Amino acid sequence: MRIDILTVLPELLNGPFSASILKRAQDKGLVEIHLHNIRDYSTDRHNNVDDYQYGGGAGMVMSVGPISKAIDSLCAKYRYDEIIYMTPDGDTLAQPLCNQLSLAQNLLILCGHYKGVDQRIRDLYVTKEISIGSYVLSGGELAAAILVDAVVRLIPGVLNDETSALTDSFQDGFLAPPVYTRPPEFKCLKVPEVLLSGNPKDVAAWREAQALERTQLRRPDLLSE
């Protein structure tokens, strides 16, 4: 998979992509992540990429020209399955969408900033708009990092145990059950006996019941979907 990210602050993304699972995925050649500074496509002598909004109002808007030039340049080289804009008013990121995007070959992600991008960019280029929650960040970079992490970990070969992702919360519509490791007792709290029984059938039944109970208590909305 190839992921290209358009941003005015590429330095914000160097850290998340240079450690742990995302770094290993790149080292294995399973994903390529390329950061592109939108300012490099500006024709302004100061490399500005924002302007006042028509109609007045507080806050600047990312200009249509540099973004359009950047997207056109990349689209001339690669065919993207999706051109994604990270925005608070997009579709809320959820596991089924992550599963879908993990099957893509090429993704282009646009990070918003200021009051957002000129609407014509959204109308002309963007194929999918994604939000990570009902709140506003200073820019789309951190949201893009979350999206990339959630998608890349699903690519076969990224995780050491590929079945691990299949048992994560939301994969089957439930939250994940509690998990334990050694020691079997800690500060008077014991690991449930069933997990020590060595009986896979009983363990599976316990985990299924615990997943249902946890979902009912914490996210009952999932059961109504």
Side-chain angles (χ1 to χ4, degrees), residues 8 38-39 47-67 85 110-122:
V8 294
I38 298 172
R39 296 186 188 280
N47 292 327
N48 290 330
V49 294
D50 60 297
D51 207 340
Y52 296 103
Q53 55 181 308
Y54 280 125
M60 306 292 279
V61 175
M62 293 181 71
S63 303
V64 66
I67 300 174
Y85 175 46
L110 171 61
C111 300
H113 219 70
Y114 314 112
K115 291 295 287 185
V117 304
D118 188 300
Q119 179 63 38
R120 289 167 291 188
I121 290 293
R122 301 170 76 165

Side-chain angles (χ1 to χ4, degrees), residues 2-18 22 26 32-41 70 74 77-78 80 107-111 140-142 144-145 148:
R2 179 188 173 97
I3 300 175
D4 290 284
I5 302 177
L6 295 174
T7 169
V8 294
L9 293 169
E11 59 269 26
L12 280 180
L13 292 170
N14 288 326
F17 299 151
S18 61
L22 290 178
Q26 294 175 82
E32 295 180 27
I33 302 175
H34 299 272
L35 306 179
H36 307 271
N37 194 331
I38 298 172
R39 296 186 188 280
D40 293 340
Y41 297 89
L74 288 168
K77 302 174 185 176
Y78 309 102
Y80 293 100
L107 296 175
L108 175 57
I109 302 174
L110 171 61
C111 300
E141 286 77 18
L142 298 181
V148 171

Side-chain angles (χ1 to χ4, degrees), residues 85-100:
Y85 175 46
M86 306 305 301
T87 173
D89 60 348
D91 294 330
T92 302
L93 182 64
Q95 195 62 49
L97 178 55
C98 295
N99 294 343
Q100 174 191 334

